[in-house]
Amino acid sequence: AQILVESGGGSVQTGGSLRLSCAAAADTYSSTNFMAWFRQAPGKEREGVAAIDTGGGTSYYSDSAKGRFTISRDNAKNTVYLQMNSLKPEDTAMYICAAGRPHWTESFKPRAYNYWGQGTQVIVSS
């Protein structure tokens, strides 16, 4: 069974919004303390976009996401969300959910996460 399942991707025009969801298996959610969204565009490295401490709720954002994206969690549903507003063509990528137990200083390092979803595609057209 898939441990992390993303949904909510799609195609939007510049300035549009999308809300991504990542549903975790119960044991995955309870055994990890951070969930994050990464993205990867063709030919580029995977980069962290937003991360959240699922216990305390502290969130972290990349410079490109600050002010436009909001990460949140619903512990009752074992689900993390990424609200993306004011989307730009450069936001086009596969968005991938991750779960793990990183130190907060490594919240955007892929090697710090144990579990990964399949990803959901986001396309922003100009």
Side-chain angles (χ1 to χ4, degrees):
Q2 279 190 278
I3 294 172
L4 299 174
V5 180
E6 301 100 332
S7 60
S11 296
V12 296
Q13 292 190 324
T14 297
S17 298
L18 284 172
R19 188 191 193 211
L20 307 183
S21 298
C22 175
D27 55 355
T28 301
Y29 200 81
S30 63
S31 67
T32 57
N33 66 344
F34 259 79
M35 288 187 71
W37 287 96
F38 288 77
R39 66 186 182 187
Q40 189 162 19
K44 293 190 177 181
E45 291 189 356
R46 188 168 294 190
E47 63 168 338
V49 174
I52 189 166
D53 176 339
T54 53
T58 303
S59 55
Y60 305 86
Y61 297 94
S62 66
D63 287 343
S64 62
K66 283 177 186 174
R68 299 189 301 128
F69 295 2
T70 302
I71 189 170
S72 60
R73 93 280 195 217
D74 184 337
N75 289 343
K77 295 182 179 179
N78 302 329
T79 299
V80 168
Y81 305 97
L82 185 67
Q83 178 67 43
M84 303 188 296
N85 299 328
S86 302
L87 283 163
K88 306 174 183 179
E90 50 263 44
D91 294 318
T92 294
M94 181 71 76
Y95 283 71
I96 309 159
C97 179
R101 299 187 62 84
H103 186 266
W104 70 270
T105 57
E106 296 196 323
S107 54
F108 287 157
K109 295 192 184 298
R111 65 171 185 240
Y113 291 84
N114 306 99
Y115 305 104
W116 294 86
Q118 296 294 313
T120 185
Q121 183 70 45
V122 171
I123 298 172
V124 185
S125 57
S126 56

